[in-house]
Amino acid sequence: MRPKTPSESRTIMTDLVLPSETNPLNNLFGGELLARMDRAASISARRHSRRITVTASVNHVAFNHAVPLGSVVTVEAAVSRAFKTSMEIFIDVWIEDRFTGDRTKANEAIYTFVAVDDTGKPTEVPPLAPETDLEKERYAAALRRKQLSLVLAGKLPPSEATELKALFLD
């Protein structure tokens, strides 16, 4: 399989925050934002793998800034690392100042998707070839995150978590 770049999977979704999507403080419901992020990540995973993809886990979500009613919200998702059948998707959420047009990073998340065939069986995905410094940083960190997750789940002995051990041996 030909390695793909993160830009080949990049998904950008822009939408407006409507009153029915807000909490009593007139900010976007967290669950609504999670759904938007899941949709963008799903498209990115599908673009990378050209397969049906399913959400395997939500590994990290940071709600750093409230997203007020009427905000223009942009969700940007791209594959940060491809493993055998799974892909880590890094998601950045931006809000746009309605008067100046300036964008501020409001939130971020990391999801894991698995590519499956028509019967639901996991299937291999193409490798990823990061290009920019940010893509390379996210690519390297993805392996550490995966190893940490496997160690915590009891699926990888800590002694085999080479990337994690390297953090502490320098």
Side-chain angles (χ1 to χ4, degrees):
M1 282 187 227
R2 174 186 75 79
K4 294 186 175 183
T5 65
S7 61
E8 291 178 272
S9 71
R10 183 157 285 116
T11 300
I12 301 172
M13 296 173 49
T14 302
D15 204 356
L16 189 65
V17 177
L18 301 174
S20 64
E21 302 165 329
T22 61
N23 62 25
L25 296 173
N26 283 323
N27 294 316
L28 183 65
F29 277 118
E32 174 62 31
L33 183 56
L34 288 168
R36 291 180 186 197
M37 291 187 292
D38 193 48
R39 282 191 293 276
S42 176
I43 294 167
S44 289
R46 186 170 188 128
R47 283 179 172 163
H48 180 81
S49 66
R50 291 296 167 200
R51 295 293 197 162
I52 297 167
T53 60
V54 295
T55 309
S57 66
V58 177
N59 307 348
H60 167 76
V61 178
F63 295 108
N64 296 320
H65 298 283
V67 180
L69 173 66
S71 294
V72 172
V73 179
T74 300
V75 177
E76 296 180 7
V79 175
S80 50
R81 182 125 186 189
F83 297 98
K84 184 174 178 168
T85 61
S86 67
M87 296 155 281
E88 181 190 88
I89 316 297
F90 204 102
I91 304 154
D92 296 302
V93 178
W94 303 85
I95 53 175
E96 186 178 311
D97 183 281
R98 66 184 80 162
F99 301 109
T100 67
D102 292 340
R103 288 178 8 135
T104 303
K105 186 171 177 180
N107 304 295
E108 66 182 25
I110 301 170
Y111 284 47
T112 299
F113 276 75
V114 173
V116 297
D117 63 18
D118 292 337
T119 65
K121 181 182 173 194
T123 186
E124 286 193 41
V125 300
L128 190 76
E131 297 178 318
T132 68
D133 288 343
L134 179 60
E135 290 169 355
K136 290 174 184 175
E137 178 184 313
R138 288 179 174 178
Y139 179 89
L143 182 54
R144 293 189 295 270
R145 284 188 287 271
K146 181 172 183 165
Q147 285 186 353
L148 178 60
S149 177
L150 291 172
V151 167
L152 292 174
K155 296 178 180 177
L156 178 70
S159 61
E160 293 180 24
T162 56
E163 293 297 311
L164 291 176
K165 288 184 349 185
L167 289 174
F168 299 102
L169 297 177
D170 286 342

